Amino acid sequence: QSVLTQPPSVSGAPRQRVSISCSGSSSNIRNNAVNWYQQLPGKAPKLLIFYDDLLPSGVSDRFSGSKSGTSAFLAISGLQSEDEAEYFCATWDDTLRGVVFGGGTKVTVL
Amino acid sequence: EVQLVGSGGGLVQPGRSLRLSCVGSGFNFDDYAMHWVRQAPGRGLEWVSGIDWNSGAAGSAASLKGRFTISRDNAKKSLFLQMNSLTPEDTALYYCARDKRRTVGGNPFDLWGQGTLVTVSS
């Protein structure tokens, strides 16, 4: 059971917009920045969004991040087949004194 | 090329030990905190341990109950994970990852190795 809760899967048609939630608590998301990772099938994770809403160089601006209270959100606009992957949120937990990950959300393009 | 290359994985019997290594290249290794993250087959990501740039502070997941120890050798641009008293539940792909900053905290992991597979089985 992960400390951060994500939906197991989301799906959408090409060019649609999908959103992935990441639910935590006051000991993690409320007080610390959230980072998002994309893991393509058979590949290592890749940093997608950092410090809640910043994009690393080279990442498409179709991806965006936001946070409200104890939840964070990853949005993918203009969905493309290459976006089919697993997405993980992560942050620091002040009580556990360590990094915690969400269970991951598999995105399927219909 | 900026990269991390992990090694040391393999098949090990329950109760035995294993030491993983990760070598960084193409960047100033001692400018960054480093981490180990694992992924059991078909499962999600789990943070294992992290260490500051100068080994001044390190932390590990409480679930490991002190069985794993992280260390680094900046002169050799290397990160290590000593794993003791291994159980089948430790079977996973172990990734080394670079922190965006010098100290362990809620910072992003901006560079990942390819992973090294550890299988614990009799």
Side-chain angles (χ1 to χ4, degrees), chain B residues 71-87:
Chain B
S71 62
R72 64 190 294 165
D73 184 338
N74 286 342
K76 296 182 178 178
K77 298 190 173 186
S78 295
L79 177 72
F80 306 102
L81 185 67
Q82 177 66 41
M83 304 185 295
N84 298 330
S85 303
L86 286 162
T87 74

Side-chain angles (χ1 to χ4, degrees), chain B residues 19-92:
Chain B
R19 189 190 195 213
L20 304 183
S21 300
C22 173
V23 178
S25 60
F27 63 97
N28 293 329
F29 188 79
D30 52 9
D31 275 347
Y32 301 91
M34 295 294 297
H35 300 264
W36 289 99
V37 177
R38 69 182 181 181
Q39 186 170 34
R43 305 293 296 276
L45 301 174
E46 179 186 16
W47 179 74
V48 172
S49 191
I51 187 168
D52 286 355
W53 68 282
N54 62 352
S55 304
S60 297
S63 60
L64 298 175
K65 299 178 183 177
R67 296 183 297 120
F68 292 8
T69 302
I70 190 172
S71 62
R72 64 190 294 165
D73 184 338
N74 286 342
K76 296 182 178 178
K77 298 190 173 186
S78 295
L79 177 72
F80 306 102
L81 185 67
Q82 177 66 41
M83 304 185 295
N84 298 330
S85 303
L86 286 162
T87 74
E89 288 67 42
D90 296 316
T91 294

